[in-house]
């Protein structure tokens, strides 16, 4: 009887004891400096510049130097080149494009052109994290390429955030590469993202995360709520490229809420708590808003982890609307609807995530887990080797109760390729592993198996 009681008591106190025993993830002090360098004034200036092109519709003018999407994308290209000049040529600036035609919103041939700037990593340049915004805008008629469409919030705010992130982070070096992307054709069918994702696949880019910023400057919702302290992060639950066999494995082993994209969202949430004052992230367990889409989707569709970062309360009178006033009620996406401090706060969130992911060692790969009918749980992974692992401090094991949205407990286990958690029963928790750099920079948590893989 005494043995039975002792075993029961041990089981009851196991999780609280572990929670007290293990320290939280390390703080990367430099990230506070990066966050503090983000300027609301510069973001406001860039949003105003983009809105002043009149329209940035995908089907709009391309020859003018002052109006239309052609002028806008050339200005973005030149801005990236100016930023590169300030860091000694640290950015590779390029256009990535293709011609689209025969679709509902692009019936005639149109060249869809995105602007990309790459900041190469110093020891693992083939590994990328991407921040994206959209260049294009629209009014009520999706085919109207001539009417004024300032798109101040949708999505000059996100595009300005990308440019500001490049300004801040290009002054520093990281192990992995960072992509700053201005994507076109979003309003016509996510074509810019499709084209860039295809280019990434063709060129073997190992993209570990896409942070799609689409509308990050509005704080006054059509629901009457005014809120400048929250942001939403949308993420897919299961991978779009999951095979039939992988789905069977997931059904029996778990992973429905632990795709790489979902754990990227958790990483964004944790980063906000740790580095961004007065900002709380709402993780939304959905690919995007109900029956709507964004430019992380084309990357998810080919297997890259990606999330959408945006404001919490939307104002639909300011989205996809002809500029007008009806019964004293203004419509249209104008500069008056943008809160530049909020756009800066969400940009700072991106900066903090990019810096940590680019500064981290190679992500754990081939993560496996064992522990059925045992009192303990063992995780194993491929330990990084060679030059790319020069910054590897070690690995951290994470676990949480299965009904909890965020990782609850962790243990740093050093430079090893496996670890056993004694008396932590596999049936009662979800588990994962991250890689930690010498300065504390860390990867998102990688859930075991194909369900949670970030790739090799």
């Amino acid at each position: 009887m005494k043995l039975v009681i002792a075993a029961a008591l041990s089981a009851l106190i196991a999780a609280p004891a572990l929670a007290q025993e293990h320290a939280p993830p390390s703080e990367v002090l430099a990230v506070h400096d990066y966050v503090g360098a983000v300027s609301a004034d510069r973001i406001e200036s860039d949003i105003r510049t983009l809105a002043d092109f009149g329209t940035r519709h995908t089907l709009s003018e391309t020859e003018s130097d002052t109006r239309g999407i052609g002028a806008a994308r050339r200005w973005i290209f030149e801005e990236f080149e100016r930023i590169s000049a300030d860091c000694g040529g640290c950015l590779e600036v390029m256009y990535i494009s293709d011609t689209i035609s025969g679709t509902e919103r692009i019936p005639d041939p149109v060249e869809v052109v995105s602007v990309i700037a790459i900041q190469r990593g110093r020891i693992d340049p083939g590994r990328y994290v991407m921040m994206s915004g959209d260049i294009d805008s629209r009014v009520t008629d999706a085919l109207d390429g001539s009417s004024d469409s300032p798109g101040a919030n949708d999505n000059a705010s996100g595009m300005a955030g990308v440019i500001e992130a490049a300004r801040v982070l290009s002054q520093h070096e990281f192990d992995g590469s960072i992509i700053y992307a201005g994507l076109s054709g979003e309003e016509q069918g996510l074509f810019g993202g499709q084209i860039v994702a295809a280019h990434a696949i063709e060129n073997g880019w190992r993209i570990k995360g896409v942070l799609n910023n689409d509308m990050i400057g509005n704080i006054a919702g059509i629901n009457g709520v005014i809120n400048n302290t929250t942001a939403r992060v949308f993420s897919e639950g299961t991978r779009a490229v999951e095979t039939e066999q992988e789905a069977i494995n997931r059904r029996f082993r778990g992973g429905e809420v632990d795709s790489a994209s979902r754990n990227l969202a958790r990483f964004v949430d944790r980063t906000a708590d740790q580095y961004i004052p007065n900002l709380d992230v709402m993780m939304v367990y959905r690919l995007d808003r109900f029956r709507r889409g964004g430019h992380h989707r084309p990357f998810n569709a080919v297997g890259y982890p990606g999330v959408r970062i945006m404001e919490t309360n939307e104002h639909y009178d300011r989205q996809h609307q002809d500029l007008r006033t009806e019964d004293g009620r203004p419509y249209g996406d104008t500069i008056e609807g943008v809160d530049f401090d909020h756009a800066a706060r969400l940009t700072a969130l991106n900066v903090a995530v990019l810096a940590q992911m680019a500064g981290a060692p190679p992500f754990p790969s081939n993560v496996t887990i064992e522990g059925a009918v045992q009192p303990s749980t063992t995780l194993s992974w491929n330990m990084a080797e060679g030059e790319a692992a020069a910054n590897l401090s070690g690995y951290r094991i994470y676990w949480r109760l299965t009904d909890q949205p965020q990782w609850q407990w962790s243990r740093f286990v050093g430079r090893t390729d496996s670890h056993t958690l004694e008396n932590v029963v596999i049936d009662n928790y979800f588990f994962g592993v991250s890689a930690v750099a010498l300065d504390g920079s860390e990867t998102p948590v990688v859930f075991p198996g194909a369900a949670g893989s970030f790739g090799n």
Side-chain angles (χ1 to χ4, degrees), residues 280-432:
D280 184 51
V281 162
M282 175 192 295
M283 285 192 296
V284 183
Y285 283 16
R286 184 180 286 133
L287 175 61
D288 208 317
R289 299 152 304 159
F290 190 72
R291 299 184 64 183
R292 302 173 73 186
H295 245 149
H296 57 302
R297 277 178 45 189
F299 295 93
N300 290 158
V302 296
Y304 290 129
V307 299
R308 178 187 184 126
I309 299 174
M310 69 175 302
E311 63 209 23
T312 302
N313 296 285
E314 298 179 63
H315 201 304
Y316 308 124
D317 290 355
R318 301 171 184 168
Q319 299 175 13
H320 305 172
Q321 295 284 352
D322 293 335
L323 300 181
R324 67 194 191 279
T325 300
E326 294 181 358
D327 299 325
R329 183 171 181 168
Y331 291 83
D333 189 358
T334 61
I335 204 79
E336 290 76 17
V338 180
D339 184 287
F340 306 111
D341 289 330
H342 194 58
R345 191 175 294 112
L346 268 61
T347 298
L349 173 62
N350 281 264
V351 163
V353 173
L354 293 171
Q356 292 177 91
M357 290 182 66
F363 284 49
S365 62
N366 296 321
V367 179
T368 61
I369 189 167
E370 298 293 338
V373 202
Q374 298 176 30
S376 302
T377 300
T378 299
L379 284 94
S380 303
W381 55 89
N382 290 353
M383 188 168 73
E385 299 177 345
E387 183 181 357
N391 193 28
L392 175 66
S393 174
Y395 296 90
R396 185 182 295 275
I397 299 291
Y398 284 86
W399 65 104
R400 71 181 197 270
L401 294 170
T402 62
D403 63 349
Q404 294 302 299
Q406 189 55 275
W407 298 103
Q408 295 172 283
W409 304 292
S410 70
R411 174 181 292 174
F412 182 74
V413 297
R415 291 177 66 101
T416 180
D417 60 3
S418 67
H419 184 78
T420 298
L421 292 169
E422 299 291 347
N423 295 317
V424 181
V425 178
I426 194 171
D427 300 325
N428 298 343
Y429 305 91
F430 287 144
F431 300 85

Side-chain angles (χ1 to χ4, degrees), residues 7-276:
L9 288 173
S10 177
L12 285 171
I13 65 173
L18 291 168
Q20 296 168 3
E21 182 180 339
H22 304 119
S26 301
E27 183 175 37
V28 186
L29 296 180
V31 172
H32 291 290
D33 295 332
Y34 307 152
V35 166
V38 172
S39 168
D41 290 340
R42 287 196 300 258
I43 289 173
E44 176 181 356
S45 176
D46 289 345
I47 292 174
R48 289 185 181 277
T49 297
L50 288 163
D52 284 346
F53 286 112
T55 178
R56 303 186 307 278
H57 194 283
T58 301
L59 309 183
S60 65
E61 169 69 54
T62 60
E63 299 299 324
S64 171
D65 290 331
T66 59
R67 183 178 178 84
I69 194 166
R73 68 193 180 213
R74 286 190 294 274
W75 176 80
I76 294 168
F77 188 98
E78 292 165 1
E79 199 62 27
F80 280 143
E81 290 206 313
R82 279 190 286 271
I83 294 168
S84 184
D86 288 341
C87 62
C90 72
L91 300 182
E92 300 172 25
V93 187
M94 66 189 77
Y95 293 117
I96 297 178
S97 65
D98 200 357
T99 299
I100 303 295
S101 64
T103 72
E104 181 180 353
R105 294 186 177 182
I106 307 183
D108 301 318
V110 170
E111 188 179 22
V112 176
V113 183
S114 296
V115 186
I116 305 296
I118 301 176
Q119 180 178 344
R120 291 288 177 187
R122 56 192 168 190
I123 66 172
D124 195 3
R127 170 168 58 90
Y128 301 87
V129 59
M130 174 190 288
M131 178 182 179
S132 69
D134 302 318
I135 301 175
D136 56 312
S137 63
R138 60 163 284 193
V139 288
T140 304
D141 182 356
L143 295 175
D144 183 352
S146 58
S147 296
D148 282 348
S149 178
N153 189 47
D154 186 14
N155 187 24
S157 65
M159 188 67 247
V162 172
I163 295 170
E164 178 65 4
R167 286 197 191 100
V168 172
L169 293 177
S170 62
Q171 298 300 309
H172 308 276
E173 291 186 331
F174 301 94
D175 288 356
S177 297
I178 303 174
I179 302 170
Y180 309 99
L183 304 176
S184 291
E186 192 264 350
E187 302 289 4
Q188 307 309 110
L190 310 178
F191 289 111
Q194 291 177 29
I195 294 165
V196 172
H199 180 91
I201 292 289
E202 182 179 351
N203 287 274
W205 292 2
R206 291 161 34 233
I207 299 178
K208 300 301 182 180
V210 175
L211 309 177
N212 170 41
N213 288 257
D214 193 346
M215 296 188 290
I216 63 171
N218 179 67
I219 64 170
I222 200 167
N223 56 1
V225 174
I226 298 176
N227 181 352
N228 66 353
T229 63
T230 64
R232 290 182 293 179
V233 178
F234 291 85
S235 60
E236 65 177 2
T238 57
R239 301 175 309 130
V241 296
E242 183 179 66
T243 67
E244 183 177 356
Q245 184 58 53
E246 289 169 349
I248 292 172
N249 291 340
R250 174 178 52 76
R251 182 184 179 198
F252 289 98
R253 300 176 186 176
E256 293 82 359
V257 292
D258 277 283
S259 67
S261 295
R262 186 60 51 78
N263 277 311
L264 176 58
R266 290 188 177 98
F267 188 78
V268 174
D269 177 35
R270 193 181 81 195
T271 295
D273 291 341
Q274 193 166 12
Y275 295 103
I276 312 299

